[in-house]
Amino acid sequence: MGGEVAVAGEATRLLERFGGRCAAVVRVATLPPVIAVGLLRAYPERLWPTLLVVVVAAAWTCGCAWRLSRERARPPVTVDAAVLLAVCLVALWSGAVDGTNTGWLRLLVTFACVTWQWHTPPLAGAVAALVTGGGMLVTIDVAGPDVHAGQIWVLAMAALSRAVWVLVTRAAQRADRMAAEAEEVRRASAVAAAVRDEERELANALHDTAATTLLMVGTGQVRAGTTWLAAQAGRDLARLRSRGGASPAAADLVGLLRDDVDSTHLTVDLDAGEHLVLPFDVASAIAGAAREALNNVRRHAGTDRATVRVHGDARELCVEIVDTGRGFSAEAGPARRGLRESVHGRMNRVGGTATITSSEGTGTTVRLEWRAERG
């Protein structure tokens, strides 16, 4: 089984950026005590050499901090370590470090070794800390005072800093893995929902077209010699074949309703304006729901007349499909698949509503309402 390639996630990238910037802040924040200790403990005859070395070290530290704060311009740790080793040698040669004035150098090198662990690879950070910390200890030993355990702690502090940073990095990587898994679950859910919507819409299309036509033939509603059956079957097949292609951004609702009215084999009074352009999914959902309502008039209402009224505009509209047929019990209506999915379902999926008012012997009114989201 092949190894997985780790890809840095958002949490890991943010942590890497934070490590460099935090290192820059810490190194600059330690400069005042470094300068103060170096100058206040220097002998008067060594003040100027000490001042020169301390200023050079501070200037280099500020330059490194500036580059660390810029993610794409970070200085190589090898160069940083080499400069600090040079500072140690120059401090020893110039007398800026002696038996009583080593504290400023310890502070300078210690915080460099500690902060390197926050923005370098483990091996590079470890080697830089070992070489620079060792160089500092040799400098102090040559300067006169014995190297004691407290000074050797610079290496232990660097190791502890790396251990803590490794734990923090692993936590960030774990957060990235959890975020990636959550995103994968979200995508899978979105794909599954899209597939379910497509299957549901295909089932609705079959119900509204070929299944309806076949039902009418099977129940004897189509008389022998009817001339419109072949044309209706052709329209059903054309509508089913048109599914799955790229959808336009918008559609004319009035045009869609007019096409459906012409193919319902009912006498329909269409009360609407010339055009009403809506987002394609909204227009097709409303037109599909209205078409199913007209199909129900033809199949169940016992009348061949209906009225379709369109009120409103592209921000808010209402479509009413009214017939004066036999009606039905409103409590039983939603149980029908055509009403539940082809009418209510379509309107719900585009943020609209469908209200059906009917009672036996008084006809039926289907009210489709939609309002654009505010924003």
Side-chain angles (χ1 to χ4, degrees):
M1 184 174 179
E4 295 183 356
V5 178
V7 179
E10 183 65 18
T12 302
R13 288 193 294 269
L14 289 174
L15 183 63
E16 291 173 353
R17 190 180 309 152
F18 170 79
R21 292 177 178 177
C22 188
V25 171
V26 170
R27 290 187 66 173
V28 171
T30 57
L31 285 180
V34 166
I35 296 172
V37 171
L39 298 181
L40 291 177
R41 293 183 64 86
Y43 290 115
E45 63 273 14
R46 296 179 179 174
L47 179 61
W48 289 109
T50 302
L51 176 62
L52 178 61
V53 174
V54 169
V55 167
V56 169
W60 171 255
T61 300
C62 289
C64 283
W66 178 78
R67 290 178 65 88
L68 281 172
S69 64
R70 298 168 61 87
E71 189 175 1
R72 297 183 180 179
R74 291 180 178 176
V77 68
T78 52
V79 176
D80 199 4
V83 171
L84 290 183
L85 280 175
V87 168
C88 291
L89 295 176
V90 172
L92 179 62
W93 172 76
S94 65
V97 172
D98 55 34
T100 61
N101 192 13
T102 61
W104 69 271
L105 187 62
R106 292 203 309 270
L107 284 174
L108 182 71
V109 173
T110 297
F111 281 101
C113 292
V114 167
T115 56
W116 282 336
Q117 313 311 313
W118 304 344
H119 60 88
T120 62
L123 181 59
V127 171
L130 184 63
V131 172
T132 308
M136 179 202 69
L137 296 177
V138 170
T139 300
I140 293 174
D141 183 62
V142 173
D146 295 332
V147 176
H148 51 76
Q151 295 168 347
I152 298 177
W153 265 99
V154 61
L155 301 179
M157 291 174 66
L160 182 61
S161 176
R162 173 61 67 177
V164 171
W165 194 253
V166 167
L167 292 177
V168 174
T169 301
R170 288 180 178 175
Q173 292 170 345
R174 186 162 54 250
D176 284 333
R177 286 195 299 270
M178 294 174 64
E181 291 170 0
E183 178 63 16
E184 187 65 25
V185 170
R186 187 195 66 78
R187 289 179 181 175
S189 299
V191 170
V195 170
R196 287 194 300 270
D197 288 344
E198 182 64 21
E199 291 174 346
R200 186 184 298 113
E201 195 57 34
L202 177 59
N204 291 339
L206 284 170
H207 174 273
D208 298 348
T209 55
T212 296
T213 303
L214 290 173
L215 177 63
M216 294 178 65
V217 173
T219 57
Q221 297 182 43
V222 180
R223 297 174 183 175
T226 299
T227 59
W228 57 263
L229 182 58
Q232 180 63 46
R235 283 191 293 268
D236 291 344
L237 290 175
R239 181 166 290 165
L240 291 173
R241 288 196 190 102
S242 67
R243 295 189 51 77
S247 300
D252 179 15
L253 175 61
V254 176
L256 294 177
L257 290 173
R258 188 173 290 113
D259 291 342
D260 289 335
V261 164
D262 292 341
S263 62
T264 57
H265 312 294
L266 296 170
T267 301
V268 179
D269 180 16
L270 178 59
D271 181 9
E274 289 295 322
H275 301 284
L276 180 53
V277 178
L278 298 172
F280 178 79
D281 56 341
V282 175
S284 59
I286 296 174
R291 181 174 59 249
E292 176 59 18
L294 291 173
N295 285 338
N296 284 333
V297 172
R298 186 178 60 186
R299 291 196 300 260
H300 307 298
T303 181
D304 61 355
R305 302 188 66 87
T307 300
V308 177
R309 305 187 188 98
V310 180
H311 310 284
D313 52 31
R315 295 184 299 274
E316 183 176 358
L317 65 88
C318 173
V319 177
E320 290 182 326
I321 303 93
V322 181
D323 71 77
T324 56
R326 64 172 61 98
F328 60 89
S329 173
E331 289 76 12
R336 297 176 181 173
R337 189 193 187 283
L339 293 178
R340 185 181 67 251
E341 291 295 338
S342 295
V343 178
H344 289 286
R346 279 188 170 125
M347 294 303 297
N348 289 339
R349 284 191 287 277
V350 296
T353 60
T355 305
I356 301 174
T357 305
S358 183
S359 61
E360 295 182 0
T362 62
T364 302
T365 298
V366 178
R367 185 180 178 89
L368 310 175
E369 296 178 283
W370 177 82
R371 177 180 298 178
E373 294 182 358
R374 305 297 182 185

